[in-house]
Amino acid sequence: MVELSPVERRQIVTLPPSIAKLTAVKRFVLYGSNLVRIPPEIGAMTSLEEFTPYTSYRLHWFPYEITRCSKLARSTVSTRALFGNYKLRPPFPRLRPPQDSVADLDLTALDASRWGTTAIRSCSVCDRPIKQHGLHQVWISLRVATDVLPLLVNACSATCVDALPQGAEGYVQFPHTGGNVDQPASDWD
């Protein structure tokens, strides 16, 4: 995005699922973008070593699938803009209650302001198709590369939610659904 003019950059608020095809990309620089969300397909960027969405102040969270980028070692994120960050502790939005069936939900045409994405295809944890199972959305804060990021998990079952790791030290230690969550005190409190 560094080749785009500021006007062109401001027009882009999300990236297409086709970023999954960018498997050879090592550096992903989104400096100063107007993005409001990153698609879960970022997890397919298996060569990613550096992720820089610095000064992308409208990015408040990331998809759990970013944890699949096993080579990701460096990140530069504007952490003060993130939900639950260590310094300011902005609240996590409340997520919808778990659904054991999604038969009545069109998972390919979701309202992103309500679900965090426009489509949910597979479980963030086990990668099974969501449409064949339920939908359990939770937040978890984990260290990803050099930053602790709030991650949105779209799990297919309570079992997958239970399989999530413990939250990062100094952050909420368990997966949660947002709202009024007691966050650990920070040095700034």
Side-chain angles (χ1 to χ4, degrees):
M1 292 183 64
V2 289
E3 313 78 43
L4 299 176
S5 73
V7 171
E8 292 170 319
R9 231 184 347 260
R10 277 193 298 277
Q11 295 172 4
I12 300 171
V13 295
T14 191
L15 299 172
S18 59
I19 67 167
K21 296 177 183 177
L22 303 176
T23 58
V25 171
K26 291 183 179 191
R27 293 184 66 232
F28 199 27
V29 179
L30 302 169
Y31 187 90
S33 77
N34 205 26
L35 294 172
V36 296
R37 68 185 166 278
I38 302 287
E41 288 80 5
I42 193 170
M45 295 178 72
T46 54
S47 296
L48 193 60
E49 296 174 1
E50 183 178 345
F51 181 57
T52 307
Y54 192 63
T55 69
S56 296
Y57 296 119
R58 294 181 68 194
L59 278 175
H60 303 297
W61 60 273
F62 298 87
Y64 181 79
E65 287 81 353
I66 197 169
T67 63
R68 294 181 186 162
C69 299
S70 61
K71 295 181 181 177
L72 187 55
R74 292 178 307 284
S75 59
T76 308
V77 178
S78 297
T79 56
R80 288 180 188 238
L82 301 179
F83 296 140
N85 82 72
Y86 189 74
K87 294 178 181 174
L88 302 178
R89 299 289 192 207
F92 289 84
R94 179 163 300 286
L95 298 172
R96 300 179 50 84
Q99 297 182 12
D100 291 325
S101 172
V102 291
D104 61 336
L105 187 60
D106 181 358
L107 295 172
T108 62
L110 297 171
D111 177 0
S113 65
R114 195 168 169 193
W115 295 97
T117 186
T118 56
I120 301 173
R121 292 169 185 80
S122 61
C123 177
S124 300
V125 180
C126 72
D127 210 24
R128 290 186 299 194
I130 289 283
K131 68 180 179 178
Q132 296 173 0
H133 304 349
L135 178 58
H136 300 250
Q137 286 191 305
V138 295
W139 295 109
I140 188 164
S141 295
L142 297 176
R143 180 159 303 280
V144 176
T146 51
D147 294 291
V148 173
L149 303 180
L151 305 174
L152 177 61
V153 178
N154 292 307
C156 67
S157 66
T159 302
C160 281
V161 172
D162 291 342
L164 291 168
Q166 186 172 345
E169 185 178 337
Y171 291 78
V172 178
Q173 294 296 293
F174 52 87
H176 59 89
T177 57
N180 294 327
V181 176
D182 287 332
Q183 298 187 64
S186 73
D187 295 340
W188 298 84
D189 290 341

